[in-house]
Amino acid sequence: MLAQHSHSMYGIQFGGPSPPSPESDDQMSPVYNGVQDGFARDAEEFAKGLDSLTLVPKSAADKRAEIFRLVDSYYQYAINKVRDMRKSQEQLSIRRSYDTSSQDSMDLDDIESLPRSPASTEMLKSWELEAQTWDMLRRLLPLRYPNRDPPKSTRHDILRFQACSEVWDEFLQSDISAQERKAVLECLQASADETRRDIDDLVRDYQKRAERGDIIAYGWLHTRSAIKMQKNLNGWSGPLDPNASDVVQKLRNGSNLMVTQLDPDVATRQNRKLLPQDEYFERAIWLGCYELLRRGRSITEIRDWCVERTEVWRAVSMSAMPLSKDETQSQFSCDPLSMLLWRRTCFALARQGGTDDFERAVYGILSGDISSVEKVCEDWDDFVFAHYNALLRTQFDAYLMKRSPQDAAATVTQSFPAFNAVQFHGEADSVGERLVKSLETNIKTSAEAKTPMKMLQAAILSNNLDQYTYELGLALGKLANEDEASALIPNFSSPGDDIDATKFVQLKDHNGLRVLVHVYLVLASLEELQGERHVELSEHRKAQENVVSAYVSTLRLAHLTDMMPLYCNQMQGDRAFFTLSRNITNVTNTHERELLLRLMEKLGMDVAEFVQFQPYSLLQQHPEPEEHQPAFGRFTVFTNDPPTLKYGRPLKPDFLGEPPEHLNQVDEHLIQSLEWFLLVDGLWNEFFQFGTAIYKRFLKQFNFHAARALAERVRCSEIFKRKAGIVYADDEDVLWFEEVRASAAAGSLEENGIGPGEVAAAQNFFEMECLIRALDAMETIASSEQLAQDPTEQVGRDFWTNVGTELKRVKSYMRPILNNWLMESIEEDEDFTYLRDAYLPEMIIGYVSVLHFVGTTLTRDNLLECMELASVIAKKDADVAAVIMKAGRMKELVEGFANCSKALAISGTDKKGAGGNSSKRMMREHGWTRELWSVKK
């Protein structure tokens, strides 16, 4: 069923009430409904964005810019979702706090520490990862898919008086890999700033252990007080000599010697300790500085944070090149040689100085070191940040050396070493791929690196999305075919493919599929613009399209049918129609089908080709058994009871079988495929070609329930009405078809587009419809015969009226069957011979029994008509006698006629009065007389 929320697509309004799908569960839990509603809103927003790409043709440059805007809109939607969820959780925590404690006894810190539900926490984390993924793409894709403009020229002269900020800009302009790494760093910084706890909260525990209350400034208070106290007690003045024996003996904390001075590097220089409280304070300061750099805060924010703690020197030490995520703050005022020297000084502090891991990590970030930063890394993002930061700073360092005076640069590099991350990683083209692979084996990141979203981000970083989506398609195919074969999501993997499906998004992860399908479609669109996407439908591309097919199935499960054409239209070849046709089988409402067809037209899809594809693909996918059972004796309308004089040979009640609650799925889909033809103009010959094939399929397999459903839902007269405007009020009188045939032959239906050829195309379909409708009416009469013979049943006038109505239907539908049934066709078809052999003998002998029963219960005229039937069959040009002889059943037919003649001979006057004036007129037309068969006493 179509989405229940109101929205517009291509100007077509959706959201009206629609009947529930037979497969839908009206007893869904409230939680599931909430999740489904949330997914529906998200899916709708993403579809709207994708929809805009297909509306108006644009130049390649405009299309590329529009794709980038689309990715940016997806990021904005995701980040807004994160902020809304975080705000809702905070409000919920506050409300819960009032339920558990009074406002006076719980502060804001306690409120934030209240536990959140696992589901809400997981959902928030999921959206944070999605926002980070779209942020990464919006930064990287414009760099990887640029307009084909000529590259900007770069300077190669020696630097003397140029500021580092200018050189930085030139460096980025000249190196695309540096631009990408800077973009990745900014993404990781922004994500950390958005998702991590507030820095003041992170350092609060260390601040408490520092035992200084709310005082966050004024340095090492406890160590200063201890030194001052010892000076007063011992009468010391001026700077203390750390090697003096009395100082060594008295200025200590247990077994640890204390520093004697308070300058920043005193602990390293003297190899002595601060008091434990000040060590916690120091750790809090360096943790804050690390987080400020990790989050890409500007030098202004870093300075303000340090000034607040009277530690401005720390801000100065970081000011040369903090690499802020805010580009307006990335202005480096020092000269290039000073920058080279500063980096190496930071590297020395990262490797050899400092008393705390976070202090060394701060200088490790500033110098582009890896090992010192990795010691404090906690997750996948931290490790990627450490490596990309090191690579970018190493690249810039190398650029500065090339642009600096050779002698001066050599003096700096020879005297002060620096870590070379580019050399450490080796081959430049595969740095990203090898890095993310190493994180899968790192004990700290292994589990996280193998999660679906991090696998996606790894593919983005390594510029390997094409291979990733291919492997994703293989994984989805593997998952979809675990229990039984899936035609919608085929398994394209071969025995040699080593695909761990657990590392990819699962089929039940609807939000994950939503992200991945849009990533894939964005990538495909950009590659098409670049001319890198091959038109031919390779196995590689087919496997990739599994993600689209899986998402379309997700939309079906979420009852978002109206969005499916948009995504199917992104698929290549027949798979677009195949995926759409298999996912719209629950759309049974005519209005909703018409809306879908209008949507397809707006998207540029060929609706005529689509409706033809449905039956064609179903017949191809589900072929008939190659071997058919012998035609004769496959079914019977009779019981094993002997015939009686009054009722003739007994008919078997319900000889078509007990109707199933639901048709076989393939049969249902075949019938639905013909129903779609009614909504599209034209396709006359195509409809009857497929309709005839489907009827043959049902009848050859003696699939009476499917054939009866087809006859009820897609009547031949309805096709003439819908496609030619020819209307007959009563299609149960089969003479309407002969009237059409005569009118077409006379040329009077040319305005309706109907000529003899169109009638010939419809004839076999019409004849097979008459067969199943005749069988249906005969089955009703057979059940009535059983009731009439049951002494416990009270049958009245209405009962016999209904029998008469069904008799009228049988007689009408038997006319085509008795007159060259399936002998005239556009092309010779052996299947028609099989159907004539299978059905004609049983139908005619059964029809004799029907006339016998109604002749003795309604009116003797039916017995007279049975005698007339004998003469019709006995004519030389009659086609049915040969079939009956071929089946070896002429004896049964003659016995049936003989029984009718006996019943007619002994029958008295009509008791039910069903003949009337029309019966008398019919007798006159045929030259019949009742007295001829009366036995005189």
Side-chain angles (χ1 to χ4, degrees):
M1 90 181 130
L2 297 180
Q4 294 301 304
H5 46 285
S6 178
H7 65 278
S8 178
M9 182 177 287
Y10 284 124
I12 301 175
Q13 193 70 26
F14 287 91
S18 60
S21 165
E23 299 180 6
S24 66
D25 184 2
D26 296 331
Q27 306 301 323
M28 289 183 191
S29 67
V31 174
Y32 181 79
N33 278 332
V35 172
Q36 185 186 36
D37 290 344
F39 172 77
R41 287 191 295 270
D42 301 333
E44 181 182 342
E45 288 300 321
F46 274 66
K48 283 180 179 178
L50 183 64
D51 187 25
S52 65
L53 291 179
T54 60
L55 285 176
V56 182
K58 297 181 177 67
S59 66
D62 290 342
K63 186 78 174 287
R64 186 178 290 105
E66 190 173 18
I67 293 172
F68 295 152
R69 285 194 296 271
L70 174 64
V71 176
D72 191 65
S73 71
Y74 288 162
Y75 164 73
Q76 292 297 334
Y77 181 83
I79 198 66
N80 289 338
K81 194 94 170 182
V82 168
R83 291 166 182 169
D84 290 343
M85 292 178 70
R86 194 174 290 129
K87 183 178 179 181
S88 298
Q89 288 188 357
E90 290 172 357
Q91 292 173 345
L92 179 61
S93 296
I94 293 174
R95 286 198 300 270
R96 289 173 59 194
S97 71
Y98 286 113
D99 296 335
T100 57
S101 177
S102 65
Q103 189 173 6
D104 294 336
S105 63
M106 181 173 284
D107 58 24
L108 289 177
D109 295 336
D110 297 325
I111 291 173
E112 291 183 0
S113 66
L114 285 172
R116 296 170 180 170
S117 70
S120 63
T121 302
E122 184 179 349
M123 183 63 72
L124 175 60
K125 179 64 176 176
S126 173
W127 277 102
E128 287 173 347
L129 285 170
E130 179 174 344
Q132 184 185 47
T133 302
W134 289 118
D135 190 25
M136 198 175 289
L137 284 168
R138 77 188 183 109
R139 296 174 189 272
L140 289 175
L141 289 179
L143 301 175
R144 293 174 178 173
Y145 297 92
N147 288 321
R148 299 189 181 278
D149 296 330
K152 297 182 179 180
S153 60
T154 57
R155 296 170 55 178
H156 298 284
D157 54 312
I158 300 298
L159 301 171
R160 294 193 182 277
F161 306 105
Q162 194 174 9
C164 263
S165 58
E166 296 179 24
V167 183
W168 172 254
D169 292 338
E170 291 178 6
F171 160 67
L172 292 177
Q173 297 258 349
S174 67
D175 194 331
I176 187 63
S177 68
Q179 294 178 40
E180 286 196 15
R181 286 163 183 165
K182 178 175 179 289
V184 171
L185 281 181
E186 290 173 347
C187 172
L188 295 171
Q189 289 169 334
S191 176
D193 204 22
E194 182 72 35
T195 61
R196 292 193 184 215
R197 289 172 57 197
D198 185 84
I199 295 177
D200 290 340
D201 292 338
L202 284 175
V203 304
R204 183 172 287 116
D205 182 55
Y206 293 130
Q207 192 73 25
K208 288 180 180 179
R209 296 185 186 186
E211 297 178 4
R212 53 198 295 146
D214 294 330
I215 301 173
I216 61 173
Y218 308 117
W220 304 326
L221 295 179
H222 294 277
T223 302
R224 181 188 294 118
S225 297
I227 294 173
K228 187 175 183 180
M229 183 179 68
Q230 290 298 326
K231 280 186 174 183
N232 291 335
L233 289 174
N234 295 288
W236 298 336
S237 62
L240 299 180
D241 181 1
N243 298 318
S245 59
D246 54 345
V247 172
V248 171
Q249 183 179 2
K250 295 180 179 180
L251 195 59
R252 60 194 308 136
N253 178 39
S255 61
N256 296 321
L257 296 174
M258 286 178 54
V259 297
T260 62
Q261 296 173 6
L262 299 174
D263 55 288
D265 65 339
V266 63
T268 304
R269 188 179 70 253
Q270 294 184 351
N271 193 25
R272 295 191 174 205
K273 299 281 189 179
L274 301 173
L275 285 178
Q277 296 92 330
D278 290 331
E279 287 184 340
Y280 283 121
F281 173 77
E282 186 75 359
R283 188 173 181 83
I285 295 291
W286 284 119
L287 172 58
C289 291
Y290 168 79
E291 285 293 330
L292 288 166
L293 291 174
R294 176 66 181 83
R295 301 176 192 213
R297 296 291 181 86
S298 67
I299 189 60
T300 302
E301 292 175 288
I302 294 173
R303 183 174 60 246
D304 291 344
W305 195 86
C306 292
V307 166
E308 186 180 10
R309 289 155 177 79
T310 62
E311 300 285 332
V312 69
W313 70 269
R314 302 179 198 251
V316 173
S317 71
M318 294 183 279
S319 62
M321 189 177 172
L323 286 186
S324 166
K325 67 178 184 290
D326 185 358
E327 291 186 2
T328 60
Q329 295 287 333
S330 299
Q331 302 298 322
F332 320 133
S333 58
C334 62
D335 62 89
L337 282 175
S338 298
M339 179 68 76
L340 290 172
L341 183 59
W342 172 81
R343 177 176 180 248
R344 283 154 178 78
T345 304
C346 289
F347 177 67
L349 289 170
R351 289 295 180 92
Q352 303 168 15
T355 58
D356 183 84
D357 283 344
F358 281 107
E359 178 183 359
R360 287 185 283 270
V362 165
Y363 289 113
I365 290 176
L366 297 171
S367 66
D369 188 31
I370 291 178
S371 61
S372 58
V373 182
E374 283 189 327
K375 289 180 180 178
V376 299
C377 290
E378 295 181 348
D379 58 18
W380 190 90
D381 288 8
D382 287 343
F383 279 90
V384 173
F385 174 84
H387 285 262
Y388 270 66
N389 172 76
L391 286 164
L392 182 59
R393 289 178 185 271
T394 300
Q395 286 177 279
F396 185 49
D397 189 84
Y399 186 81
L400 286 176
M401 287 192 288
K402 289 179 181 178
R403 298 288 304 279
S404 298
Q406 189 173 2
D407 55 345
T411 301
V412 172
T413 55
Q414 291 172 9
S415 302
F416 303 97
F419 179 71
N420 190 326
V422 173
Q423 185 178 1
F424 172 80
H425 277 284
E427 181 63 37
D429 293 338
S430 58
V431 167
E433 185 175 359
R434 282 183 281 111
L435 170 60
V436 296
K437 286 291 184 184
S438 70
L439 295 180
E440 291 187 31
T441 58
N442 187 315
I443 191 170
K444 283 188 175 181
T445 58
S446 177
E448 182 184 8
K450 295 176 182 177
T451 58
M453 200 57 71
K454 285 305 177 188
M455 289 289 292
L456 171 60
Q457 291 183 5
I460 295 171
L461 290 181
S462 58
N463 197 14
N464 207 19
L465 272 174
D466 184 69
Q467 179 65 18
Y468 171 81
T469 52
Y470 169 68
E471 293 180 0
L472 169 64
L474 296 181
L476 291 173
K478 184 177 178 181
L479 291 169
N481 291 270
E482 279 182 337
D483 298 326
E484 58 181 332
S486 170
L488 281 172
I489 311 174
N491 187 358
F492 292 104
S493 60
S494 58
D497 292 330
D498 184 18
I499 301 296
D500 183 1
T502 60
K503 296 194 294 186
F504 296 91
V505 68
Q506 304 296 294
L507 291 168
K508 62 183 178 181
D509 183 1
H510 295 177
N511 279 311
L513 286 172
R514 173 182 50 77
V515 175
L516 286 164
V517 74
H518 290 94
V519 170
Y520 166 72
L521 293 176
V522 163
L523 182 71
S525 299
L526 287 171
E527 288 186 348
E528 187 177 345
L529 287 175
Q530 294 288 97
E532 297 176 359
R533 197 159 193 86
H534 300 295
V535 177
E536 65 269 13
L537 191 57
S538 63
E539 290 295 306
H540 187 90
R541 178 68 180 271
K542 290 178 182 177
Q544 288 178 321
E545 287 187 343
N546 269 355
V547 66
V548 184
S549 184
Y551 186 65
V552 172
S553 295
T554 295
L555 294 175
R556 169 177 56 82
L557 294 173
H559 307 303
L560 300 174
T561 314
D562 50 294
M563 299 181 193
M564 294 195 302
L566 175 64
Y567 292 91
C568 290
N569 195 39
Q570 312 298 321
M571 305 174 82
Q572 299 294 311
D574 290 343
R575 195 170 182 186
F577 286 157
F578 182 87
T579 303
L580 182 57
S581 65
R582 298 306 186 268
N583 279 284
I584 58 174
T585 54
N586 283 343
V587 182
T588 56
N589 180 276
T590 300
H591 175 66
E592 291 177 354
R593 286 176 173 176
E594 289 173 342
L595 288 178
L596 279 174
L597 290 175
R598 290 170 60 191
L599 267 179
M600 293 171 64
E601 286 182 329
K602 292 287 186 180
L603 287 164
M605 301 175 78
D606 190 333
V607 295
E609 185 179 348
F610 170 70
V611 297
Q612 294 178 75
F613 178 83
Q614 290 192 72
Y616 171 79
S617 63
L618 284 166
L619 292 170
Q620 291 292 315
Q621 184 184 357
H622 305 283
E624 299 178 51
E626 293 184 3
E627 295 184 3
H628 295 295
Q629 297 294 326
F632 301 117
R634 288 295 307 279
F635 91 106
T636 182
V637 298
F638 299 107
T639 67
N640 293 325
D641 297 330
T644 64
L645 187 60
K646 182 173 182 181
Y647 297 110
R649 188 174 179 181
L651 294 170
K652 180 180 179 181
D654 300 322
F655 57 76
L656 295 181
E658 184 69 24
E661 185 177 355
H662 299 293
L663 290 177
N664 170 275
Q665 191 177 67
V666 176
D667 298 339
E668 173 64 28
H669 294 172
L670 284 168
I671 296 171
Q672 287 187 11
S673 71
L674 294 179
E675 291 176 329
W676 284 88
F677 274 88
L678 298 175
L679 307 178
V680 179
D681 293 337
L683 303 179
W684 181 274
N685 291 332
E686 292 80 359
F687 168 81
F688 284 112
Q689 176 187 348
F690 287 117
T692 301
I694 292 171
Y695 255 133
K696 285 195 305 181
R697 176 192 180 96
F698 292 160
L699 293 177
K700 284 166 63 180
Q701 297 174 11
F702 299 89
N703 188 349
F704 299 121
H705 301 302
R708 179 161 54 186
L710 174 56
E712 291 172 352
R713 290 161 55 179
V714 190
R715 296 191 174 186
C716 187
S717 60
E718 187 68 14
I719 305 302
F720 277 81
K721 175 182 176 182
R722 294 284 191 95
K723 294 187 176 293
I726 299 174
V727 181
Y728 283 90
D730 182 14
D731 71 339
E732 291 186 350
D733 184 354
V734 297
L735 291 177
W736 72 267
F737 192 83
E738 294 305 320
E739 292 179 15
V740 169
R741 188 198 303 273
S743 300
S748 57
L749 296 179
E750 291 182 358
E751 293 183 357
N752 303 84
I754 300 299
E758 285 69 30
V759 176
Q763 180 169 332
N764 297 143
F765 182 91
F766 168 74
E767 289 174 335
M768 285 185 282
E769 178 185 297
C770 287
L771 172 76
I772 191 63
R773 295 179 79 174
L775 282 170
D776 182 58
M778 286 175 63
E779 184 188 51
T780 304
I781 292 178
S783 299
S784 301
E785 180 180 339
Q786 183 185 44
L787 290 175
Q789 296 180 60
D790 188 345
T792 63
E793 292 289 339
Q794 296 291 327
V795 293
R797 187 174 185 84
D798 291 341
F799 171 83
W800 293 110
T801 300
N802 291 333
V803 171
T805 301
E806 293 301 320
L807 173 63
K808 182 180 178 182
R809 296 179 64 228
V810 172
K811 290 180 178 180
S812 176
Y813 300 138
M814 285 299 295
R815 287 195 186 100
I817 296 172
L818 292 168
N819 185 22
N820 296 322
W821 185 71
L822 298 183
M823 290 190 69
E824 299 175 3
S825 60
I826 295 177
E827 296 179 358
E828 187 175 348
D829 194 334
E830 293 181 357
D831 288 338
F832 290 151
T833 302
Y834 178 88
L835 292 178
R836 283 173 56 80
D837 291 345
Y839 287 97
L840 280 181
E842 196 74 13
M843 287 296 297
I844 294 171
I845 297 171
Y847 184 41
V848 170
S849 289
V850 168
L851 293 176
H852 189 146
F853 165 66
V854 295
T856 59
T857 55
L858 290 181
T859 171
R860 295 175 63 211
D861 295 344
N862 295 304
L863 296 173
L864 293 173
E865 192 166 343
C866 185
M867 296 298 98
E868 177 65 17
L869 176 62
S871 63
V872 170
I873 295 174
K875 290 181 180 178
K876 290 184 179 181
D877 57 348
D879 62 288
V880 294
V883 178
I884 296 172
M885 289 289 291
K886 181 180 177 182
R889 303 188 66 180
M890 185 58 75
K891 180 182 177 182
E892 293 178 55
L893 179 62
V894 172
E895 287 176 350
F897 285 135
N899 290 333
C900 280
S901 66
K902 291 176 184 178
L904 181 60
I906 65 171
S907 62
T909 58
D910 295 338
K911 296 181 179 179
K912 304 297 184 295
N917 294 329
S918 62
S919 175
K920 294 177 181 178
R921 183 171 59 254
M922 183 179 66
M923 290 177 65
R924 288 196 300 270
E925 291 173 355
H926 288 81
W928 297 341
T929 171
R930 294 173 178 170
E931 286 71 19
L932 177 64
W933 297 93
S934 298
V935 178
K936 301 296 183 181
K937 293 182 182 179

